[in-house]
Amino acid sequence: MTVRAPPSAASMINSSAPLHGFGPPPGVPGSRVAGDLVPPPPGIYPPPPNRQTCSWMDRQGRPASPPYEYGGRRPERRDRVRRVDLLIEPGQSLGLMIRGGVEYGLGIFITGVDKDSVADRAGLMVGDQILEVNGQSFMEVTHDEAVSQFKFHKRMSLLVRDVGKVPHSCTTIEPEPWDAYSPTGVRIILR
């Protein structure tokens, strides 16, 4: 077995060869060729994704921890899933307010139910998450798509989950490692 000493500092200064295990191999974006940095092709490294964090409220409007799938603790009880059938007759109102959508990194949550509306009589409550409508998943729909589904259909079968809380205020965190004024490299934008 042959043991070699590490290269001397003088030989490293004049060498363009990378150390084994350090940095990308020659010719790969980010490596050096004849002392010049090889820039990555445009679009090869997408920007880091934005993160959204939300504060949550319970049915009574008190601050609450987020549901498990949004960073909260594992629930002690299983969230109740139920099917609710709605029929909106002429002159009636659905009476439902919703918040969320895939563009916010959220599912669709019921944030308000008008008293004596079709939704109220069917048993929908603030804090219910709408999982599907007429067999269409609501897990990956935008807010506008959800609203148009509710406006279009007069007869609906909803699959809802009793979460008991709703997203209240959301903050978008955009990673910007080049931001010299941010000690964490993260800029927070309130919306």
Side-chain angles (χ1 to χ4, degrees), residues 98 101-102 106-109 129-143 145-150 153 156 158-159:
I98 61 171
V102 70
L106 295 168
I108 302 294
F109 291 86
Q129 180 181 9
I130 302 169
L131 303 175
E132 66 178 47
V133 174
N134 293 341
Q136 177 191 350
S137 173
F138 261 42
M139 300 305 289
E140 298 275 331
V141 298
T142 66
H143 183 85
E145 289 169 340
V147 168
S148 61
Q149 287 291 318
F150 287 122
H153 296 291
M156 291 175 269
L158 280 62
L159 187 65

